[in-house]
Amino acid sequence: MDNKCYYGSGRFYSDDYDKSTFPMPKDPKGITKDEKDKLVKFVAQHLNEEYQIGYLKDGYQFTVSTNKLQDQSDLGEIKTNVINEENATVKISLYNANAETISKQYPTAKNCKIDNFSITTVGGVGDIDETPHVLIFKHDDNAYGDTVVVCIGKNTSGFDAVWKQNAVTPFPCTYDLESLDSDGRLAMFIDCPKGTDWDTLAAGE
């Protein structure tokens, strides 16, 4: 029995997804050392401020839903109960929501910096960015080892920008997840050894 459990929040990182460079293992029950090394290095190289789009508010939520085929013969001799479809979402809220943050994750938002002005336009489905994102959540666990969740998705939630007296309005993101491979795998949960040195792994050492 493993005493590790999931609790607390963490940090969230995002990058444009490129199938040609994403290190997806071929066989989830037979991952090779080379595949593991490439995957862990890929994750480690994204755990920095370049890819951290903001700070989380109220945690990270990964949800899988299923559609099932449930039926039986008239007299109950044969029963069918199988999963025939899976769907998954990731939900976060960014505490430090601002126009530039929104432009990095909302598909119709575009940002431009000029003469020390940062100008973000929102809207326009004719100019939507269909690029999915690699989504990496990292929870620090000094007792048992860090946990990392890796998946691919697009933000489809829309958002509210609200200025309230004495309150911060987080930026909510709901990502519809896409398959990691042709078999429809939706996420990788990576439980890491205690004391994992991410800087060394990022350097490939």
Side-chain angles (χ1 to χ4, degrees), residues 9-31:
S9 189
R11 299 184 188 277
F12 186 77
Y13 306 85
S14 176
D15 189 16
D16 288 350
Y17 170 65
D18 182 348
K19 183 178 180 179
S20 67
T21 60
F22 185 74
M24 181 64 190
K26 292 181 179 179
D27 178 4
K29 289 188 175 181
I31 297 173

Side-chain angles (χ1 to χ4, degrees), residues 81-96:
N81 187 7
V82 297
I83 295 173
N84 58 16
E85 185 180 4
E86 285 181 311
N87 295 289
T89 60
V90 160
K91 293 183 180 181
I92 64 166
S93 287
L94 298 177
Y95 183 80
N96 56 325

Side-chain angles (χ1 to χ4, degrees), residues 12 52-57 92-102 104 168-172:
F12 186 77
Q52 185 180 359
I53 58 171
Y55 301 103
L56 294 183
K57 173 67 174 174
I92 64 166
S93 287
L94 298 177
Y95 183 80
N96 56 325
N98 56 65
E100 185 175 350
T101 300
I102 291 168
K104 292 179 180 179
V168 171
T169 301
F171 169 36

Side-chain angles (χ1 to χ4, degrees), residues 158-172:
F159 64 92
D160 293 324
V162 182
W163 283 259
K164 293 182 178 180
Q165 187 71 16
N166 300 320
V168 171
T169 301
F171 169 36

Side-chain angles (χ1 to χ4, degrees), residues 3 16 40 44 61 63:
N3 291 329
D16 288 350
V40 170
Q61 180 179 339
T63 302

